[in-house]
Amino acid sequence: MRYLLGACAGVLILVVQPAVAKEGTANCPTLRFERRQVIPLQDLGRLAVDVKSTEDGAGTVVFRFFDVEDRPSRGNAHAVGLVYARMGDLGETPVGGYLWLTDATEVEVAESTIEEGDGKTASMTFTIRANPPACPTASSTFTLKPDGRFYMDGTLSGTVR
């Protein structure tokens, strides 16, 4: 009988534990990128003075923060800023959009330039600053390749033209 109770408790733990873990991560902060072709003038007026940029030989990844007191929001998410890539050519069309953050206040931004066989690659990584202890580290990396391709976490997001 004692073994039967122990087995039942073990099975219960195996069934309930993943559900509890999944429920715990469901409320963790997330980063999301929304590509946009056009940024409304009202949102451009919400930008703060703070700018981060990473420049390689061919292009630049730029992050413009929104003013903390007046940033766009949707439900429990708010736009931290605008992320975009440009090559520096006259008449080009940059690629970019909004970086949305849920259930957290701020992100850390790290810039880097990597030397590759076909030239330099500009990269910018965003990591949630105050992540709850039960949540995995959430981050996103934007990369601009020398040919103008712009990636978010390894997925092609667009090409600077």
Side-chain angles (χ1 to χ4, degrees), residues 43-72:
D43 287 349
L44 291 176
R46 295 174 170 181
L47 292 171
V49 179
D50 299 338
V51 177
K52 297 268 188 178
S53 65
T54 300
E55 188 170 347
D56 69 6
T60 306
V61 177
V62 180
F63 179 64
R64 300 282 315 261
F65 289 92
F66 279 114
D67 183 343
V68 176
E69 297 172 356
D70 187 32
R71 52 188 166 196

Side-chain angles (χ1 to χ4, degrees), residues 21 24-25 28 131-137:
T25 59
C28 290
N131 215 7
C135 296
T137 301

Side-chain angles (χ1 to χ4, degrees), residues 16-32:
V16 173
Q17 183 68 25
V20 170
K22 186 176 182 181
E23 177 64 30
T25 59
N27 296 323
C28 290
T30 60
L31 288 166
R32 186 176 53 82

Side-chain angles (χ1 to χ4, degrees), residues 114-146:
I114 302 166
E115 187 75 43
E116 292 187 349
D118 56 352
K120 291 184 179 178
T121 298
S123 182
M124 191 171 286
T125 300
F126 300 88
T127 306
I128 294 177
R129 183 180 294 163
N131 215 7
C135 296
T137 301
S139 66
S140 289
T141 300
F142 293 85
T143 305
L144 177 63
K145 299 283 186 172

